[in-house]
Amino acid sequence: MKKTIIALLALSGLAMADTYTASTPAKSAAGAQGNYYGFTLAFDNATYLTTNVPADTELNLDSITLLSRSDGSANDMKVAVYEYVGDGTVGTFLGTSSTVQFAANTTFTLTFDGITVNSSDRYQFLYVSATADDATLGTFDGYKAAAMQWGTSVTNSFSTNIPGGWGTYKNNTLNSWEGQYIPVTTVTLSTPSVAPAVPEPTTATLSLLALAGLAARRRRK
């Protein structure tokens, strides 16, 4: 009986997460490289992405995979995530990815922890120095001080406002998703894990007594 109760309690705590992906259309490596600062997307937008992400759903942002440019100097960098605003600045800062060291013509996967997004909302994914802290990245001036081109130099040259719209930020301008400088991008998301409900003591006791009764009845048979 003890083993039965333990197994039932363990099963009640399992919560399977659904996973989703959103990817830019397939491109050759040569067509996906260049100098760029980041990009803007909404995960469920099938106009710009190949996606199975449900609309208007709260999801965990798990990882992003990017193809690097064809050349550039080695440096450490990460991706800062902001809510999108169309006023030429950054929106609310949500957090950063893990850090990678740039290498030319290489596919990198960066991971995120604790960032929840709405699949239908638009977000800014901006490349920044690995040394930039959250307090710095929380302001537009701080972002500009930490902004980086993908693999070209640790030295920042970004000084103007961010263009509005969909696409890749190349230098201080915006290229459309169909443009030359879009990176090969795949984003993975998952449903937030839900902790199993903890029953009130009275309910838990009654449940255990019922299980004990069933087990005793089975032994008598």
Side-chain angles (χ1 to χ4, degrees), residues 84-158:
Y84 175 82
V85 289
D87 64 0
T89 66
V90 293
T92 301
F93 172 66
L94 300 180
T96 59
S97 71
S98 56
T99 299
V100 297
Q101 184 178 64
F102 174 85
N105 198 26
T106 300
T107 298
F108 297 98
T109 296
L110 303 102
T111 58
F112 300 89
D113 183 32
I115 297 181
T116 301
V117 295
N118 183 290
S119 60
S120 296
D121 291 341
R122 200 186 310 186
Y123 296 90
Q124 299 166 313
F125 289 80
L126 303 176
Y127 308 136
V128 296
S129 169
T131 60
D133 58 29
D134 288 359
T136 298
L137 295 172
T139 67
F140 184 45
D141 286 341
Y143 158 68
K144 288 192 291 184
M148 295 179 63
Q149 291 190 35
W150 185 239
T152 57
S153 175
V154 175
T155 303
N156 164 57
S157 61
F158 192 97

Side-chain angles (χ1 to χ4, degrees), residues 12 18 21 28 38 49 65 81 108 122 154 219:
S12 69
D18 294 320
T21 60
S28 67
L49 303 169
T65 299
V81 184
F108 297 98
R122 200 186 310 186
V154 175
R219 283 200 305 270

Side-chain angles (χ1 to χ4, degrees), residues 178-197:
E178 293 76 25
Q180 179 180 358
Y181 294 97
I182 188 68
V184 173
T185 305
T186 299
V187 182
T188 64
L189 308 105
S190 62
T191 50
S193 58
V194 179

